[in-house]
Amino acid sequence: MATYTEGHMLKIFIGESEMYNHETLYHAIILKLKEYGVSGATTLRGIEGFGQNNRRSHKPLHMLSGDLPIVIEVIDTPERIDAILEVIQPMVKEGMIARIHNVEIIHSDSSI
Amino acid sequence: MATYTEGHMLKIFIGESEMYNHETLYHAIILKLKEYGVSGATTLRGIEGFGQNNRRSHKPLHMLSGDLPIVIEVIDTPERIDAILEVIQPMVKEGMIARIHNVEIIHSDSSI
Amino acid sequence: MATYTEGHMLKIFIGESEMYNHETLYHAIILKLKEYGVSGATTLRGIEGFGQNNRRSHKPLHMLSGDLPIVIEVIDTPERIDAILEVIQPMVKEGMIARIHNVEIIHSDSSI
């Protein structure tokens, strides 16, 4: 039988070309999440979007290359999400962070 | 310190090849969202899927090209999500729209 | 006017190269979801990630090819999500499954 833990999901919306020190911001965020012991994270690249980057509003909307939108998804316990928000939020100058409540983290029954 | 606003997330699941007037439906939706002053939206293209388009159920499931699934994500205040739903819903004849509650929009502390 | 049904969203995080019998796990899951009458599902491939697969933790983080992260999203009624979880959970040995509550499934008004 499955058991579960209460969790939250963080969705971080940024632009692919944003930099943090000498690397892409999205990769810097993934490294930071791993350093902080988050159990998992996934980076998705969109094909179109707006609003992740204020500078983008001056660009044509339909971008097939260049500064594509990035979404990083992290699911963990509410306490751990609190902790990583303190670290990740200052890294995201432009873009948007959203936290989704009422997420059950389903644990595998390893006896199956 | 971070502050936040209560928000909702809309997820719009459609097929990549669906058209609206003379452009792709997914691009038409993004243009409409921008016209209505939504602060941001992201379009993701999947690699496989079913159900976004009734016609698709007659096609082989494993599609590496052609009518791939599209997911558009929008996060905004509940009132603004209400307003754009009235505009977007009539555009989506096939496909699915879901609204996720309990989303916190995290605001950057610009003093950092 | 729009009507809606209460729903849940399942997010299944796995590695692209994981196998189930003689096919990829992500495709096997999509086939199973279709077999169980789920109304729709979408498979997204990420560009970076960790944690979907324990073996991955020994690999370099920045993977542009090879075992990329996969996210499968399914939205349906809570009862149907319960039923498919019983079938899908034993298929996911490594990776993570999360269930998001408070999802409204918006129904099109076909009279429009």
Side-chain angles (χ1 to χ4, degrees), chain B residues 65-96:
Chain B
S65 61
D67 195 21
L68 291 170
I70 293 284
V71 190
I72 301 172
E73 297 189 339
V74 196
I75 295 173
D76 215 314
T77 60
E79 297 72 29
R80 201 160 232 166
I81 293 291
D82 281 341
I84 60 166
L85 248 182
E86 281 189 46
V87 181
I88 299 302
Q89 210 197 347
M91 297 172 77
V92 180
K93 308 284 186 199
E94 303 184 86
M96 204 252 258

Side-chain angles (χ1 to χ4, degrees), chain A residues 27 42-43 102 104 106-107, chain C residues 47-48 52 89 99 101:
Chain A
H27 186 55
T42 303
T43 305
N102 295 312
E104 278 176 33
I106 315 275
H107 298 287
Chain C
I47 58 167
E48 190 175 38
Q52 290 83 8
Q89 211 196 348
R99 181 209 287 240
H101 291 243

Side-chain angles (χ1 to χ4, degrees), chain A residues 1-4 104-109 112, chain C residues 85-86 89:
Chain A
M1 200 172 146
T3 57
Y4 65 88
E104 278 176 33
I105 304 169
I106 315 275
H107 298 287
S108 298
D109 179 357
I112 292 176
Chain C
L85 249 182
E86 280 189 46
Q89 211 196 348

Side-chain angles (χ1 to χ4, degrees), chain A residues 27-40:
Chain A
H27 186 55
I29 289 173
I30 285 285
L31 289 174
K32 192 61 84 180
L33 291 171
K34 197 163 168 69
E35 184 191 324
Y36 272 72
V38 167
S39 58

Side-chain angles (χ1 to χ4, degrees), chain A residues 47-48 52 89 97 99 101, chain B residues 27 42-43 104 106-107:
Chain A
I47 58 166
E48 190 175 36
Q52 288 84 8
Q89 210 196 348
I97 304 179
R99 180 210 286 242
H101 292 245
Chain B
H27 185 55
T42 303
T43 305
E104 279 176 34
I106 315 277
H107 298 286

Side-chain angles (χ1 to χ4, degrees), chain A residues 2-3 5 8 12 22 24 32 52 61 77 80 85 87 89 97-98 105-106 112:
Chain A
T3 57
T5 306
H8 284 179
I12 304 161
H22 297 294
T24 56
K32 192 61 84 180
Q52 288 84 8
L61 258 181
T77 60
R80 201 160 234 166
L85 249 182
V87 182
Q89 210 196 348
I97 304 179
I105 304 169
I106 315 275
I112 292 176

